[in-house]
Amino acid sequence: RVSARNSSVGPIDYVSSRPSGRQGFDDLQRSLVPPVSANLTPTVWATGPKRVFDLVGAGLLLVLLSPVMLLTALVVKLTSRGPVFFRQRRIGRGGAAFEVVKFRTMRAARTPDPKELVPLDHPDITASGFFLRRFKIDELPQLFNVLAGEMSLVGPRPTLPDQVAAYTEFQRRRLLVRPGVTGLAQVYGSARMP
């Protein structure tokens, strides 16, 4: 049980209380996140040890996964026309914009629609892209975003500018921390979450 000032949050059964739709997800967020003061300053953990953890973890993962990343870059280049990497503007900590980097998994000529959730069976996903998305290999270049200080290993997913513009005051609190390569969205369904 987590308590914060005048409210408390108890454990939630994720299997039986999955939210349905945007409103259900907002309700789940409110029940999980205690109220936060508008005058927040980063904790010692967020500015010190967590950043060291991110740097060491991302560095080690890049060294260990470099053969996989090189092979993936080669496969993307040989199996479809276009660049190896996909870059997209996202909003991070404090509302700062940055470019998130991923291995390209869709046809290069396709114009991304930020409002579209792209399922694995989308016709514009390349043959190699299906595999890369299925096993989250397309996300590995974001380790460079972690080293640059734009992202963290664990945190909320980086959000598109249009989504941030429509945030409620409650939702804006996610901008208090660095977005993560992995987090609740990956654990509980990724594209299935609204």
Side-chain angles (χ1 to χ4, degrees):
R1 199 160 177 83
V2 177
S3 51
R5 296 192 190 165
N6 298 327
S7 69
S8 63
V9 178
I12 288 185
D13 178 6
Y14 286 99
V15 176
S16 64
S17 63
R18 286 253 177 169
S20 60
R22 179 80 241 165
Q23 185 59 44
F25 186 69
D26 287 345
D27 291 342
L28 175 62
Q29 278 183 314
R30 280 187 200 87
S31 69
L32 290 174
V33 182
V36 177
S37 166
N39 302 329
L40 278 182
T41 55
T43 64
V44 172
W45 168 249
T47 57
K50 185 170 190 310
R51 182 67 186 132
V52 171
F53 172 79
D54 285 341
L55 287 171
V56 171
L60 285 173
L61 287 170
L62 280 169
V63 169
L64 293 172
L65 296 172
S66 60
V68 173
M69 292 176 71
L70 288 171
L71 181 63
T72 301
L74 187 63
V75 167
V76 170
K77 193 65 179 168
L78 294 176
T79 60
S80 63
R81 291 190 172 143
V84 170
F85 297 108
F86 169 75
R87 299 170 189 274
Q88 190 175 46
R89 187 171 171 213
R90 299 288 178 102
I91 304 299
R93 183 176 171 188
F98 70 98
E99 277 195 344
V100 72
V101 183
K102 297 182 178 190
F103 285 115
R104 184 176 53 80
T105 59
M106 301 186 83
R107 291 184 306 109
R110 181 180 187 276
T111 304
D113 179 1
K115 295 178 178 75
E116 178 184 23
L117 288 176
V118 181
L120 276 176
D121 60 353
H122 194 284
D124 287 335
I125 293 179
T126 64
S128 62
F130 174 84
F131 179 82
L132 298 178
R133 281 180 174 232
R134 174 72 178 91
F135 295 101
K136 305 293 186 197
I137 298 169
D138 63 320
E139 310 273 351
L140 292 179
Q142 292 174 29
L143 293 170
F144 291 109
N145 289 112
V146 174
L147 289 180
E150 299 160 333
M151 293 180 70
S152 180
L153 290 175
V154 179
R157 292 298 295 151
T159 319
L160 294 163
D162 290 347
Q163 292 170 326
V164 172
Y167 273 179
T168 64
E169 196 57 40
F170 173 79
Q171 292 167 324
R172 292 193 65 76
R173 292 190 296 182
R174 73 182 293 166
L175 301 176
L176 294 171
V177 296
R178 284 186 183 92
V181 175
T182 189
L184 192 62
Q186 277 69 27
V187 175
Y188 287 104
S190 194
R192 292 188 303 255
M193 290 183 84

mmCIF file of all heavy atoms in Angstrom, residues 42-89:
data_model
loop_
_atom_site.group_PDB
_atom_site.id
_atom_site.type_symbol
_atom_site.label_atom_id
_atom_site.label_comp_id
_atom_site.label_asym_id
_atom_site.label_seq_id
_atom_site.Cartn_x
_atom_site.Cartn_y
_atom_site.Cartn_z
ATOM 1 N N PRO A 42 13.350 17.334 -8.855
ATOM 2 C CA PRO A 42 13.770 15.939 -9.012
ATOM 3 C C PRO A 42 14.385 15.398 -7.719
ATOM 4 O O PRO A 42 15.100 16.108 -7.015
ATOM 5 C CB PRO A 42 14.810 15.999 -10.128
ATOM 6 C CG PRO A 42 14.540 17.272 -10.845
ATOM 7 C CD PRO A 42 13.964 18.212 -9.825
ATOM 8 N N THR A 43 14.096 14.142 -7.443
ATOM 9 C CA THR A 43 14.654 13.505 -6.254
ATOM 10 C C THR A 43 16.135 13.207 -6.481
ATOM 11 O O THR A 43 16.618 13.232 -7.613
ATOM 12 C CB THR A 43 13.922 12.192 -5.952
ATOM 13 O OG1 THR A 43 14.151 11.299 -7.040
ATOM 14 C CG2 THR A 43 12.444 12.412 -5.738
ATOM 15 N N VAL A 44 16.816 12.900 -5.405
ATOM 16 C CA VAL A 44 18.223 12.528 -5.520
ATOM 17 C C VAL A 44 18.352 11.289 -6.393
ATOM 18 O O VAL A 44 19.251 11.184 -7.223
ATOM 19 C CB VAL A 44 18.820 12.282 -4.110
ATOM 20 C CG1 VAL A 44 20.218 11.716 -4.206
ATOM 21 C CG2 VAL A 44 18.809 13.569 -3.310
ATOM 22 N N TRP A 45 17.405 10.348 -6.266
ATOM 23 C CA TRP A 45 17.432 9.131 -7.077
ATOM 24 C C TRP A 45 17.320 9.459 -8.566
ATOM 25 O O TRP A 45 18.039 8.913 -9.384
ATOM 26 C CB TRP A 45 16.317 8.180 -6.657
ATOM 27 C CG TRP A 45 16.099 7.051 -7.620
ATOM 28 C CD1 TRP A 45 15.031 6.861 -8.424
ATOM 29 C CD2 TRP A 45 16.984 5.948 -7.894
ATOM 30 N NE1 TRP A 45 15.181 5.730 -9.184
ATOM 31 C CE2 TRP A 45 16.381 5.143 -8.873
ATOM 32 C CE3 TRP A 45 18.228 5.574 -7.412
ATOM 33 C CZ2 TRP A 45 16.973 3.996 -9.381
ATOM 34 C CZ3 TRP A 45 18.814 4.422 -7.916
ATOM 35 C CH2 TRP A 45 18.187 3.649 -8.879
ATOM 36 N N ALA A 46 16.426 10.385 -8.922
ATOM 37 C CA ALA A 46 16.199 10.721 -10.335
ATOM 38 C C ALA A 46 17.402 11.431 -10.947
ATOM 39 O O ALA A 46 17.658 11.299 -12.141
ATOM 40 C CB ALA A 46 14.953 11.582 -10.477
ATOM 41 N N THR A 47 18.130 12.199 -10.170
ATOM 42 C CA THR A 47 19.233 12.971 -10.732
ATOM 43 C C THR A 47 20.587 12.296 -10.567
ATOM 44 O O THR A 47 21.504 12.576 -11.321
ATOM 45 C CB THR A 47 19.308 14.374 -10.086
ATOM 46 O OG1 THR A 47 19.433 14.217 -8.678
ATOM 47 C CG2 THR A 47 18.087 15.194 -10.418
ATOM 48 N N GLY A 48 20.733 11.428 -9.602
ATOM 49 C CA GLY A 48 22.032 10.818 -9.332
ATOM 50 C C GLY A 48 22.109 9.356 -9.698
ATOM 51 O O GLY A 48 22.439 9.003 -10.836
ATOM 52 N N PRO A 49 21.797 8.479 -8.736
ATOM 53 C CA PRO A 49 21.965 7.039 -8.967
ATOM 54 C C PRO A 49 21.185 6.494 -10.170
ATOM 55 O O PRO A 49 21.695 5.637 -10.886
ATOM 56 C CB PRO A 49 21.459 6.414 -7.667
ATOM 57 C CG PRO A 49 21.594 7.477 -6.643
ATOM 58 C CD PRO A 49 21.391 8.771 -7.370
ATOM 59 N N LYS A 50 19.981 6.999 -10.422
ATOM 60 C CA LYS A 50 19.211 6.480 -11.564
ATOM 61 C C LYS A 50 19.898 6.828 -12.873
ATOM 62 O O LYS A 50 19.953 6.021 -13.796
ATOM 63 C CB LYS A 50 17.776 7.010 -11.568
ATOM 64 C CG LYS A 50 16.941 6.378 -12.681
ATOM 65 C CD LYS A 50 15.486 6.711 -12.534
ATOM 66 C CE LYS A 50 14.582 5.930 -13.443
ATOM 67 N NZ LYS A 50 14.927 5.903 -14.841
ATOM 68 N N ARG A 51 20.465 8.029 -12.961
ATOM 69 C CA ARG A 51 21.173 8.419 -14.176
ATOM 70 C C ARG A 51 22.422 7.560 -14.361
ATOM 71 O O ARG A 51 22.723 7.130 -15.473
ATOM 72 C CB ARG A 51 21.527 9.915 -14.121
ATOM 73 C CG ARG A 51 22.217 10.413 -15.370
ATOM 74 C CD ARG A 51 21.282 10.385 -16.575
ATOM 75 N NE ARG A 51 22.017 10.745 -17.777
ATOM 76 C CZ ARG A 51 21.977 10.072 -18.908
ATOM 77 N NH1 ARG A 51 21.196 9.025 -19.045
ATOM 78 N NH2 ARG A 51 22.687 10.453 -19.934
ATOM 79 N N VAL A 52 23.135 7.284 -13.277
ATOM 80 C CA VAL A 52 24.311 6.409 -13.351
ATOM 81 C C VAL A 52 23.872 5.017 -13.798
ATOM 82 O O VAL A 52 24.499 4.401 -14.667
ATOM 83 C CB VAL A 52 25.061 6.360 -11.997
ATOM 84 C CG1 VAL A 52 26.146 5.289 -12.003
ATOM 85 C CG2 VAL A 52 25.647 7.726 -11.675
ATOM 86 N N PHE A 53 22.772 4.519 -13.206
ATOM 87 C CA PHE A 53 22.221 3.220 -13.605
ATOM 88 C C PHE A 53 21.906 3.208 -15.101
ATOM 89 O O PHE A 53 22.223 2.249 -15.816
ATOM 90 C CB PHE A 53 20.965 2.909 -12.782
ATOM 91 C CG PHE A 53 20.208 1.705 -13.237
ATOM 92 C CD1 PHE A 53 20.636 0.432 -12.898
ATOM 93 C CD2 PHE A 53 19.077 1.842 -14.024
ATOM 94 C CE1 PHE A 53 19.941 -0.694 -13.320
ATOM 95 C CE2 PHE A 53 18.370 0.724 -14.459
ATOM 96 C CZ PHE A 53 18.808 -0.546 -14.105
ATOM 97 N N ASP A 54 21.270 4.281 -15.593
ATOM 98 C CA ASP A 54 20.929 4.370 -17.021
ATOM 99 C C ASP A 54 22.184 4.352 -17.896
ATOM 100 O O ASP A 54 22.232 3.649 -18.915
ATOM 101 C CB ASP A 54 20.132 5.647 -17.306
ATOM 102 C CG ASP A 54 18.699 5.563 -16.823
ATOM 103 O OD1 ASP A 54 18.198 4.443 -16.592
ATOM 104 O OD2 ASP A 54 18.068 6.626 -16.678
ATOM 105 N N LEU A 55 23.196 5.130 -17.517
ATOM 106 C CA LEU A 55 24.427 5.197 -18.319
ATOM 107 C C LEU A 55 25.155 3.860 -18.345
ATOM 108 O O LEU A 55 25.549 3.384 -19.415
ATOM 109 C CB LEU A 55 25.355 6.289 -17.776
ATOM 110 C CG LEU A 55 24.919 7.720 -18.040
ATOM 111 C CD1 LEU A 55 25.786 8.699 -17.261
ATOM 112 C CD2 LEU A 55 24.974 8.033 -19.527
ATOM 113 N N VAL A 56 25.312 3.261 -17.170
ATOM 114 C CA VAL A 56 26.016 1.970 -17.101
ATOM 115 C C VAL A 56 25.202 0.893 -17.816
ATOM 116 O O VAL A 56 25.736 0.124 -18.622
ATOM 117 C CB VAL A 56 26.299 1.580 -15.636
ATOM 118 C CG1 VAL A 56 26.826 0.156 -15.532
ATOM 119 C CG2 VAL A 56 27.281 2.561 -15.013
ATOM 120 N N GLY A 57 23.889 0.850 -17.537
ATOM 121 C CA GLY A 57 23.031 -0.162 -18.164
ATOM 122 C C GLY A 57 22.990 -0.028 -19.674
ATOM 123 O O GLY A 57 23.139 -1.021 -20.398
ATOM 124 N N ALA A 58 22.790 1.191 -20.177
ATOM 125 C CA ALA A 58 22.730 1.401 -21.632
ATOM 126 C C ALA A 58 24.074 1.076 -22.280
ATOM 127 O O ALA A 58 24.125 0.459 -23.352
ATOM 128 C CB ALA A 58 22.299 2.832 -21.950
ATOM 129 N N GLY A 59 25.158 1.474 -21.620
ATOM 130 C CA GLY A 59 26.484 1.179 -22.166
ATOM 131 C C GLY A 59 26.747 -0.315 -22.268
ATOM 132 O O GLY A 59 27.206 -0.812 -23.300
ATOM 133 N N LEU A 60 26.437 -1.029 -21.190
ATOM 134 C CA LEU A 60 26.619 -2.489 -21.197
ATOM 135 C C LEU A 60 25.724 -3.165 -22.238
ATOM 136 O O LEU A 60 26.161 -4.060 -22.962
ATOM 137 C CB LEU A 60 26.342 -3.065 -19.807
ATOM 138 C CG LEU A 60 27.408 -2.848 -18.752
ATOM 139 C CD1 LEU A 60 26.923 -3.319 -17.387
ATOM 140 C CD2 LEU A 60 28.697 -3.564 -19.131
ATOM 141 N N LEU A 61 24.468 -2.725 -22.293
ATOM 142 C CA LEU A 61 23.547 -3.318 -23.267
ATOM 143 C C LEU A 61 24.001 -3.060 -24.700
ATOM 144 O O LEU A 61 23.896 -3.938 -25.561
ATOM 145 C CB LEU A 61 22.132 -2.800 -23.048
ATOM 146 C CG LEU A 61 21.410 -3.353 -21.826
ATOM 147 C CD1 LEU A 61 20.114 -2.583 -21.567
ATOM 148 C CD2 LEU A 61 21.117 -4.838 -22.003
ATOM 149 N N LEU A 62 24.512 -1.865 -24.966
ATOM 150 C CA LEU A 62 25.010 -1.572 -26.322
ATOM 151 C C LEU A 62 26.192 -2.467 -26.686
ATOM 152 O O LEU A 62 26.272 -2.966 -27.814
ATOM 153 C CB LEU A 62 25.389 -0.096 -26.449
ATOM 154 C CG LEU A 62 24.216 0.851 -26.665
ATOM 155 C CD1 LEU A 62 24.649 2.308 -26.505
ATOM 156 C CD2 LEU A 62 23.595 0.634 -28.043
ATOM 157 N N VAL A 63 27.092 -2.680 -25.740
ATOM 158 C CA VAL A 63 28.235 -3.562 -26.002
ATOM 159 C C VAL A 63 27.754 -4.987 -26.240
ATOM 160 O O VAL A 63 28.136 -5.640 -27.219
ATOM 161 C CB VAL A 63 29.258 -3.511 -24.841
ATOM 162 C CG1 VAL A 63 30.309 -4.603 -24.974
ATOM 163 C CG2 VAL A 63 29.921 -2.136 -24.788
ATOM 164 N N LEU A 64 26.898 -5.487 -25.345
ATOM 165 C CA LEU A 64 26.424 -6.868 -25.454
ATOM 166 C C LEU A 64 25.547 -7.095 -26.690
ATOM 167 O O LEU A 64 25.598 -8.164 -27.304
ATOM 168 C CB LEU A 64 25.642 -7.259 -24.195
ATOM 169 C CG LEU A 64 26.448 -7.363 -22.907
ATOM 170 C CD1 LEU A 64 25.527 -7.573 -21.709
ATOM 171 C CD2 LEU A 64 27.468 -8.488 -23.000
ATOM 172 N N LEU A 65 24.735 -6.101 -27.024
ATOM 173 C CA LEU A 65 23.780 -6.265 -28.118
ATOM 174 C C LEU A 65 24.279 -5.724 -29.459
ATOM 175 O O LEU A 65 23.550 -5.772 -30.454
ATOM 176 C CB LEU A 65 22.449 -5.601 -27.756
ATOM 177 C CG LEU A 65 21.723 -6.208 -26.557
ATOM 178 C CD1 LEU A 65 20.519 -5.366 -26.170
ATOM 179 C CD2 LEU A 65 21.298 -7.638 -26.856
ATOM 180 N N SER A 66 25.512 -5.236 -29.500
ATOM 181 C CA SER A 66 26.014 -4.667 -30.757
ATOM 182 C C SER A 66 26.003 -5.662 -31.918
ATOM 183 O O SER A 66 25.658 -5.276 -33.043
ATOM 184 C CB SER A 66 27.399 -4.048 -30.567
ATOM 185 O OG SER A 66 28.329 -5.002 -30.128
ATOM 186 N N PRO A 67 26.320 -6.958 -31.718
ATOM 187 C CA PRO A 67 26.203 -7.885 -32.848
ATOM 188 C C PRO A 67 24.759 -7.995 -33.354
ATOM 189 O O PRO A 67 24.518 -8.029 -34.564
ATOM 190 C CB PRO A 67 26.683 -9.228 -32.282
ATOM 191 C CG PRO A 67 27.518 -8.877 -31.098
ATOM 192 C CD PRO A 67 26.917 -7.614 -30.544
ATOM 193 N N VAL A 68 23.798 -8.030 -32.438
ATOM 194 C CA VAL A 68 22.383 -8.100 -32.831
ATOM 195 C C VAL A 68 21.985 -6.835 -33.574
ATOM 196 O O VAL A 68 21.291 -6.886 -34.603
ATOM 197 C CB VAL A 68 21.478 -8.287 -31.584
ATOM 198 C CG1 VAL A 68 20.005 -8.187 -31.944
ATOM 199 C CG2 VAL A 68 21.782 -9.603 -30.896
ATOM 200 N N MET A 69 22.447 -5.683 -33.104
ATOM 201 C CA MET A 69 22.100 -4.421 -33.741
ATOM 202 C C MET A 69 22.728 -4.306 -35.129
ATOM 203 O O MET A 69 22.085 -3.833 -36.069
ATOM 204 C CB MET A 69 22.502 -3.245 -32.848
ATOM 205 C CG MET A 69 21.662 -3.176 -31.571
ATOM 206 S SD MET A 69 22.155 -1.876 -30.432
ATOM 207 C CE MET A 69 21.599 -0.429 -31.327
ATOM 208 N N LEU A 70 23.967 -4.754 -35.279
ATOM 209 C CA LEU A 70 24.615 -4.729 -36.593
ATOM 210 C C LEU A 70 23.908 -5.656 -37.574
ATOM 211 O O LEU A 70 23.668 -5.305 -38.733
ATOM 212 C CB LEU A 70 26.093 -5.097 -36.475
ATOM 213 C CG LEU A 70 26.983 -4.045 -35.825
ATOM 214 C CD1 LEU A 70 28.376 -4.606 -35.550
ATOM 215 C CD2 LEU A 70 27.072 -2.807 -36.712
ATOM 216 N N LEU A 71 23.563 -6.844 -37.118
ATOM 217 C CA LEU A 71 22.835 -7.785 -37.962
ATOM 218 C C LEU A 71 21.467 -7.228 -38.339
ATOM 219 O O LEU A 71 21.038 -7.331 -39.494
ATOM 220 C CB LEU A 71 22.684 -9.132 -37.237
ATOM 221 C CG LEU A 71 21.954 -10.224 -38.007
ATOM 222 C CD1 LEU A 71 22.708 -10.589 -39.276
ATOM 223 C CD2 LEU A 71 21.769 -11.458 -37.129
ATOM 224 N N THR A 72 20.792 -6.608 -37.396
ATOM 225 C CA THR A 72 19.481 -6.012 -37.658
ATOM 226 C C THR A 72 19.593 -4.898 -38.690
ATOM 227 O O THR A 72 18.785 -4.822 -39.623
ATOM 228 C CB THR A 72 18.866 -5.462 -36.353
ATOM 229 O OG1 THR A 72 18.751 -6.527 -35.418
ATOM 230 C CG2 THR A 72 17.504 -4.839 -36.606
ATOM 231 N N ALA A 73 20.603 -4.039 -38.561
ATOM 232 C CA ALA A 73 20.806 -2.957 -39.529
ATOM 233 C C ALA A 73 21.035 -3.529 -40.929
ATOM 234 O O ALA A 73 20.481 -3.028 -41.922
ATOM 235 C CB ALA A 73 21.980 -2.088 -39.105
ATOM 236 N N LEU A 74 21.803 -4.581 -41.006
ATOM 237 C CA LEU A 74 22.072 -5.233 -42.296
ATOM 238 C C LEU A 74 20.791 -5.815 -42.883
ATOM 239 O O LEU A 74 20.504 -5.641 -44.077
ATOM 240 C CB LEU A 74 23.139 -6.320 -42.097
ATOM 241 C CG LEU A 74 23.662 -6.998 -43.352
ATOM 242 C CD1 LEU A 74 24.374 -5.996 -44.244
ATOM 243 C CD2 LEU A 74 24.614 -8.129 -42.977
ATOM 244 N N VAL A 75 20.008 -6.490 -42.074
ATOM 245 C CA VAL A 75 18.750 -7.088 -42.543
ATOM 246 C C VAL A 75 17.786 -6.007 -43.037
ATOM 247 O O VAL A 75 17.172 -6.147 -44.094
ATOM 248 C CB VAL A 75 18.105 -7.941 -41.427
ATOM 249 C CG1 VAL A 75 16.668 -8.319 -41.770
ATOM 250 C CG2 VAL A 75 18.926 -9.195 -41.170
ATOM 251 N N VAL A 76 17.646 -4.922 -42.281
ATOM 252 C CA VAL A 76 16.742 -3.837 -42.691
ATOM 253 C C VAL A 76 17.198 -3.260 -44.024
ATOM 254 O O VAL A 76 16.388 -3.034 -44.933
ATOM 255 C CB VAL A 76 16.672 -2.734 -41.606
ATOM 256 C CG1 VAL A 76 15.946 -1.497 -42.130
ATOM 257 C CG2 VAL A 76 15.986 -3.261 -40.351
ATOM 258 N N LYS A 77 18.496 -3.042 -44.178
ATOM 259 C CA LYS A 77 19.036 -2.444 -45.412
ATOM 260 C C LYS A 77 18.859 -3.371 -46.609
ATOM 261 O O LYS A 77 18.526 -2.925 -47.710
ATOM 262 C CB LYS A 77 20.511 -2.095 -45.207
ATOM 263 C CG LYS A 77 21.072 -1.211 -46.269
ATOM 264 C CD LYS A 77 20.382 0.139 -46.205
ATOM 265 C CE LYS A 77 20.912 1.092 -47.236
ATOM 266 N NZ LYS A 77 20.079 2.276 -47.372
ATOM 267 N N LEU A 78 19.067 -4.676 -46.401
ATOM 268 C CA LEU A 78 19.006 -5.629 -47.517
ATOM 269 C C LEU A 78 17.583 -6.053 -47.902
ATOM 270 O O LEU A 78 17.359 -6.513 -49.018
ATOM 271 C CB LEU A 78 19.838 -6.875 -47.192
ATOM 272 C CG LEU A 78 21.352 -6.660 -47.077
ATOM 273 C CD1 LEU A 78 22.034 -7.951 -46.660
ATOM 274 C CD2 LEU A 78 21.931 -6.132 -48.381
ATOM 275 N N THR A 79 16.638 -5.918 -46.990
ATOM 276 C CA THR A 79 15.287 -6.425 -47.266
ATOM 277 C C THR A 79 14.286 -5.352 -47.682
ATOM 278 O O THR A 79 13.174 -5.692 -48.084
ATOM 279 C CB THR A 79 14.721 -7.183 -46.045
ATOM 280 O OG1 THR A 79 14.669 -6.300 -44.928
ATOM 281 C CG2 THR A 79 15.569 -8.409 -45.732
ATOM 282 N N SER A 80 14.649 -4.082 -47.584
ATOM 283 C CA SER A 80 13.716 -3.034 -48.012
ATOM 284 C C SER A 80 14.473 -1.759 -48.350
ATOM 285 O O SER A 80 15.534 -1.499 -47.796
ATOM 286 C CB SER A 80 12.669 -2.760 -46.925
ATOM 287 O OG SER A 80 13.286 -2.265 -45.760
ATOM 288 N N ARG A 81 13.891 -0.992 -49.259
ATOM 289 C CA ARG A 81 14.503 0.282 -49.633
ATOM 290 C C ARG A 81 14.278 1.314 -48.553
ATOM 291 O O ARG A 81 13.247 1.327 -47.904
ATOM 292 C CB ARG A 81 13.897 0.785 -50.934
ATOM 293 C CG ARG A 81 14.285 -0.040 -52.115
ATOM 294 C CD ARG A 81 13.849 0.652 -53.377
ATOM 295 N NE ARG A 81 14.403 -0.066 -54.504
ATOM 296 C CZ ARG A 81 13.777 -0.242 -55.633
ATOM 297 N NH1 ARG A 81 12.582 0.263 -55.810
ATOM 298 N NH2 ARG A 81 14.345 -0.903 -56.604
ATOM 299 N N GLY A 82 15.263 2.199 -48.417
ATOM 300 C CA GLY A 82 15.108 3.280 -47.460
ATOM 301 C C GLY A 82 16.167 3.238 -46.383
ATOM 302 O O GLY A 82 17.035 2.366 -46.361
ATOM 303 N N PRO A 83 16.086 4.183 -45.448
ATOM 304 C CA PRO A 83 17.084 4.245 -44.380
ATOM 305 C C PRO A 83 16.927 3.098 -43.384
ATOM 306 O O PRO A 83 15.868 2.485 -43.284
ATOM 307 C CB PRO A 83 16.784 5.588 -43.701
ATOM 308 C CG PRO A 83 15.344 5.846 -43.997
ATOM 309 C CD PRO A 83 15.072 5.233 -45.337
ATOM 310 N N VAL A 84 17.976 2.834 -42.654
ATOM 311 C CA VAL A 84 17.964 1.789 -41.632
ATOM 312 C C VAL A 84 17.163 2.247 -40.421
ATOM 313 O O VAL A 84 16.435 1.463 -39.817
ATOM 314 C CB VAL A 84 19.405 1.407 -41.225
ATOM 315 C CG1 VAL A 84 19.410 0.505 -39.996
ATOM 316 C CG2 VAL A 84 20.121 0.746 -42.380
ATOM 317 N N PHE A 85 17.280 3.529 -40.092
ATOM 318 C CA PHE A 85 16.646 4.049 -38.878
ATOM 319 C C PHE A 85 15.416 4.888 -39.196
ATOM 320 O O PHE A 85 15.334 5.548 -40.225
ATOM 321 C CB PHE A 85 17.636 4.899 -38.071
ATOM 322 C CG PHE A 85 18.813 4.131 -37.577
ATOM 323 C CD1 PHE A 85 20.066 4.323 -38.138
ATOM 324 C CD2 PHE A 85 18.680 3.205 -36.556
ATOM 325 C CE1 PHE A 85 21.162 3.613 -37.688
ATOM 326 C CE2 PHE A 85 19.766 2.492 -36.089
ATOM 327 C CZ PHE A 85 21.010 2.696 -36.666
ATOM 328 N N PHE A 86 14.471 4.847 -38.285
ATOM 329 C CA PHE A 86 13.279 5.695 -38.305
ATOM 330 C C PHE A 86 13.445 6.677 -37.165
ATOM 331 O O PHE A 86 13.756 6.287 -36.044
ATOM 332 C CB PHE A 86 12.020 4.835 -38.101
ATOM 333 C CG PHE A 86 10.775 5.620 -37.849
ATOM 334 C CD1 PHE A 86 10.133 6.282 -38.878
ATOM 335 C CD2 PHE A 86 10.237 5.710 -36.571
ATOM 336 C CE1 PHE A 86 8.975 7.016 -38.651
ATOM 337 C CE2 PHE A 86 9.087 6.435 -36.328
ATOM 338 C CZ PHE A 86 8.456 7.090 -37.376
ATOM 339 N N ARG A 87 13.262 7.946 -37.449
ATOM 340 C CA ARG A 87 13.383 8.985 -36.426
ATOM 341 C C ARG A 87 12.061 9.729 -36.327
ATOM 342 O O ARG A 87 11.436 10.013 -37.347
ATOM 343 C CB ARG A 87 14.493 9.970 -36.770
ATOM 344 C CG ARG A 87 15.845 9.321 -36.852
ATOM 345 C CD ARG A 87 16.881 10.292 -37.432
ATOM 346 N NE ARG A 87 18.128 9.625 -37.699
ATOM 347 C CZ ARG A 87 19.095 9.438 -36.817
ATOM 348 N NH1 ARG A 87 18.948 9.890 -35.593
ATOM 349 N NH2 ARG A 87 20.195 8.818 -37.138
ATOM 350 N N GLN A 88 11.658 10.016 -35.113
ATOM 351 C CA GLN A 88 10.397 10.717 -34.905
ATOM 352 C C GLN A 88 10.526 11.659 -33.718
ATOM 353 O O GLN A 88 11.123 11.299 -32.697
ATOM 354 C CB GLN A 88 9.265 9.725 -34.673
ATOM 355 C CG GLN A 88 7.891 10.347 -34.686
ATOM 356 C CD GLN A 88 6.807 9.291 -34.577
ATOM 357 O OE1 GLN A 88 6.895 8.388 -33.746
ATOM 358 N NE2 GLN A 88 5.802 9.398 -35.419
ATOM 359 N N ARG A 89 9.947 12.838 -33.867
ATOM 360 C CA ARG A 89 9.994 13.824 -32.790
ATOM 361 C C ARG A 89 9.065 13.385 -31.662
ATOM 362 O O ARG A 89 7.897 13.080 -31.893
ATOM 363 C CB ARG A 89 9.576 15.186 -33.329
ATOM 364 C CG ARG A 89 9.769 16.282 -32.335
ATOM 365 C CD ARG A 89 9.548 17.627 -32.967
ATOM 366 N NE ARG A 89 9.546 18.606 -31.890
ATOM 367 C CZ ARG A 89 8.834 19.682 -31.881
ATOM 368 N NH1 ARG A 89 8.077 19.974 -32.904
ATOM 369 N NH2 ARG A 89 8.880 20.499 -30.868
#
